[in-house]
């Protein structure tokens, strides 16, 4: 949140382990979202519902993978980084450049 504020980005954090819940939240906020920073976890290999939702909404997104590249969820960029803080900072910079 501090890093987003430094970059003058408004940030909302949504955490869920339910892929359909994540898709529902994206649909609910589709007119307020400019970009998405996504930590897909296990969905990076099987997130077809989320992938379809993101494609339909045409919202730019970046995935962050800890140690492995995303397979199903490929956004405008995919950051593979062991350090979650560094990955988040890099993703915020790239998202700011895309909006």
């Amino acid at each position: 949140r501090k890093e987003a504020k430094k970059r003058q980005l408004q940030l909302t954090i949504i955490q869920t382990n339910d892929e359909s819940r994540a898709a529902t939240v994206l649909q609910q906020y589709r007119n307020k979202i400019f970009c998405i920073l996504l930590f897909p976890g296990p969905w990076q290999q099987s997130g077809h519902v989320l992938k379809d939702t993101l494609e339909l909404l045409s919202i730019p997104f970046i995935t962050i993978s800890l140690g492995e590249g995303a397979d199903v969820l490929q956004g405008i960029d995919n950051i593979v980084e062991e350090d979650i803080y560094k990955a988040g900072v890099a993703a915020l910079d790239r998202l700011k450049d895309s909006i």
Side-chain angles (χ1 to χ4, degrees):
R1 289 184 178 150
K2 288 179 186 179
E3 293 297 330
K5 189 174 182 176
K6 281 184 197 177
R7 289 160 177 76
Q8 299 177 334
L9 296 170
Q10 183 179 5
L11 175 69
T12 300
I13 297 173
I14 299 165
Q15 181 179 357
T16 182
N17 291 324
D18 181 349
E19 183 184 1
S20 62
R21 172 75 179 128
T24 299
V25 169
L26 290 174
Q27 291 169 349
Q28 287 174 339
Y29 291 99
R30 68 185 173 277
N31 295 323
K32 297 179 182 182
I33 298 172
F34 295 102
C35 332
I36 299 167
L37 171 58
L38 184 64
F39 294 86
W43 301 336
Q44 66 191 18
Q45 301 296 325
S46 63
H48 297 286
V49 170
L50 197 54
K51 177 186 177 209
D52 291 346
T53 301
L54 290 164
E55 286 177 359
L56 285 170
L57 298 177
S58 298
I59 299 170
F61 69 97
I62 292 177
T63 57
I64 292 181
S65 305
L66 301 177
E68 294 181 16
D71 181 33
V72 172
L73 295 170
Q74 289 287 333
I76 57 175
D77 202 349
N78 181 43
I79 299 170
V80 179
E81 173 68 60
E82 294 296 326
D83 184 318
I84 194 131
Y85 179 79
K86 288 180 184 177
V89 169
L92 287 172
D93 286 337
R94 292 177 192 170
L95 284 173
K96 186 169 183 177
D97 292 341
S98 73
I99 54 174

